[in-house]
């Protein structure tokens, strides 16, 4: 009997099929003969302590001109599904948190939710690095602009960013004496109302910001090194970075060995580490990407590796 797979994601009609990791998971599920139930956030609800969803039965194909169609609709309790993939992109706002509560109700009735809803709430993609200081560059999380100014004097060259962003959004590089320092800190910190992060700038970003994927705490042996575009500090593909494949270094594997066991303990089955040079800068748990690029470069099938792990329990 085929497994019943649910996925919560952004509108499938808007994705870039050449780069979308959720789509890679859907293709792998189809290849395994699993039934796929597609949800968006607005189609989930709770009644009397049980979570439900209005699902569309989804079929997919690897065709950029027509990659999906719906075969019908059904309303069902979420715990009727064997597995639910939570693949909604940030922003990590209150609506996202409410969605994790609904998924947690299904989890309590036996459905496996990946990544675990409680772990998604606990493991902020920026701040979670604080659990692994030997793996990370000098890092400050604060609301206080004066603390960041002191950190900038100490480090000389830093990157500042919000705790809830993605794709390089609102990431700034500041150097000592930069005339924009005050306005950048006011913008990110909301004049003391919001926490944000500062990290030492790592010149090795010019050689690539590596995305390392881990399945149940074990790294894929290759990473996608994202090279910043000319004149750009950020390496994110969303802002013009170019991706090249690289084998993991000894230091990369050491970082994964430090972080992987904690990911398994928390139920964070599919995670992307961002590593620049010798240092991990972010731990991406909501909807990490780069599956399709690595599959194409190295003949892998990372999504099927993930689904095999889930099928084994």
């Amino acid at each position: 009997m085929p497994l019943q797979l649910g996925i919560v994601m952004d509108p499938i009609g808007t994705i870039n099929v050449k780069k979308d990791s959720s789509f890679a998971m859907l293709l792998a599920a189809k290849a395994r003969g699993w039934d796929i139930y597609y949800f968006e956030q607005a189609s989930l609800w709770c009644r009397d302590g049980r979570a439900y969803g209005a699902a569309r039965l989804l079929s997919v194909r690897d065709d950029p001109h027509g990659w999906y169609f719906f075969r019908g609709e059904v309303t069902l309790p979420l715990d009727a599904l064997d597995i639910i993939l939570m693949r909604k992109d940030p922003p990590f706002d209150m609506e996202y948190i409410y969605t994790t509560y609904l998924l947690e109700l299904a989890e309590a009735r036996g459905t496996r939710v990946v990544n675990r809803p409680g772990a998604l709430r606990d493991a902020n993609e920026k701040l979670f690095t604080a659990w692994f200081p030997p793996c990370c560059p000098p890092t400050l999380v604060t609301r206080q602009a004066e603390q960041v100014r002191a950190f900038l004097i100490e480090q000389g060259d830093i990157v500042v960013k919000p705790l809830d962003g993605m794709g390089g959004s609102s990431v700034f590089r500041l150097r000592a004496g930069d005339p924009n320092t005050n306005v950048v800190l006011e913008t990110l910190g909301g004049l003391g109302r919001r926490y944000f992060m500062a990290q030492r700038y790592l010149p090795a970003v010019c050689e690539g910001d590596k995305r390392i994927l881990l399945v149940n705490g074990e790294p894929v042996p290759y990473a996608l090194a994202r090279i910043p575009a000319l004149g750009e500090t950020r390496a994110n593909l969303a802002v013009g970075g170019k991706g090249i494949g690289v084998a993991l270094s000894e230091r990369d594997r050491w970082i994964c060995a430090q972080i992987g066991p904690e990911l398994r303990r928390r139920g964070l089955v599919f995670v992307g580490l961002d590593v620049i040079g010798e240092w991990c800068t972010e731990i991406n748990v909501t909807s990490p990407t780069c599956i399709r690029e690595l599959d194409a470069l190295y003949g892998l099938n990372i999504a099927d590796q993930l689904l095999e792990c889930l099928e084994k329990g």
Side-chain angles (χ1 to χ4, degrees):
M1 185 174 181
L3 288 184
Q4 310 296 298
L5 175 75
I7 187 166
V8 180
M9 59 183 289
D10 292 300
I12 193 170
T14 67
I15 66 173
N16 180 345
V17 295
K18 291 184 178 181
K19 296 179 178 292
D20 195 274
S21 289
S22 299
F23 187 65
M25 297 174 192
L26 293 171
L27 290 173
K30 178 188 177 183
R32 285 177 168 263
W34 294 6
D35 295 325
I36 303 172
Y37 297 78
Y38 166 89
F39 302 93
E40 295 174 20
Q41 281 181 296
S43 60
L44 306 180
W45 72 92
C46 166
R47 172 69 190 265
D48 299 329
R50 196 174 189 186
Y52 296 84
R56 284 178 276 183
L57 304 176
L58 177 66
S59 186
V60 292
R61 61 184 181 183
D62 200 1
D63 180 351
H65 302 292
W67 56 92
Y68 74 99
F69 64 91
F70 297 121
R71 298 181 288 106
E73 299 183 7
V74 61
T75 296
L76 75 169
L78 298 185
D79 55 87
L81 302 171
D82 297 300
I83 300 167
I84 299 175
L85 300 174
M86 175 48 165
R87 291 287 303 175
K88 173 71 179 69
D89 282 343
F92 191 90
D93 54 14
M94 286 307 301
E95 292 302 312
Y96 190 103
I97 290 174
Y98 297 147
T99 302
T100 67
Y101 288 134
L102 297 179
L103 294 174
E104 200 164 39
L105 289 172
E107 181 185 53
R109 290 176 174 261
T111 296
R112 186 165 192 186
V113 181
V114 177
N115 287 316
R116 284 197 66 220
L120 289 174
R121 294 194 298 272
D122 287 346
N124 175 271
E125 298 187 322
K126 311 296 191 295
L127 191 49
F128 190 33
T129 58
W131 271 249
F132 311 98
C135 301
C136 304
T139 300
L140 171 69
V141 175
T142 183
R143 289 187 180 193
Q144 306 303 320
E146 60 270 23
Q147 292 182 358
V148 182
R149 293 189 193 97
F151 186 74
L152 174 56
I153 292 170
E154 174 190 302
Q155 300 296 326
D157 197 346
I158 66 173
V159 169
V160 291
K161 50 191 171 182
L163 296 179
D164 60 353
M166 65 168 289
S169 175
S170 299
V171 175
F172 297 90
R173 179 183 178 185
L174 294 174
R175 282 165 276 201
D178 191 319
N180 294 305
T181 297
N182 286 343
V183 70
V184 168
L185 301 185
E186 290 167 6
T187 299
L188 286 178
L191 297 174
R193 295 190 300 272
R194 292 190 297 269
Y195 283 103
F196 63 103
M197 172 178 279
Q199 288 180 325
R200 183 174 70 197
Y201 174 74
L202 301 173
V205 71
C206 297
E207 302 165 12
D209 180 350
K210 288 178 284 189
R211 168 59 56 83
I212 301 174
L213 297 177
L214 295 93
V215 177
N216 200 30
E218 296 296 329
V220 173
Y222 303 97
L224 194 73
R226 297 159 295 171
I227 311 296
L230 185 64
E232 177 60 83
T233 296
R234 301 166 299 171
N236 308 75
L237 300 180
V239 294
K242 176 184 177 182
I244 62 171
V246 296
L248 297 193
S249 68
E250 184 177 342
R251 172 70 176 184
D252 294 335
R253 292 182 180 277
W254 180 85
I255 290 172
C256 293
Q258 307 311 302
I259 297 175
E262 183 64 14
L263 300 179
R264 282 193 295 271
R265 189 187 72 79
R266 291 175 179 247
L268 293 166
V269 180
F270 186 66
V271 172
L273 306 184
D274 288 349
V275 174
I276 299 175
E278 301 289 300
W279 307 106
C280 178
T281 60
E282 294 187 15
I283 303 174
N284 297 274
V285 302
T286 52
S287 57
T289 188
C290 293
I291 285 180
R292 301 222 75 188
E293 294 91 336
L294 289 171
D295 282 355
L297 286 167
Y298 295 106
L300 305 174
N301 193 338
I302 298 167
D304 190 67
Q305 179 185 346
L306 170 64
L307 297 192
E308 182 178 1
C309 171
L310 298 181
E311 190 169 31
K312 289 179 179 178

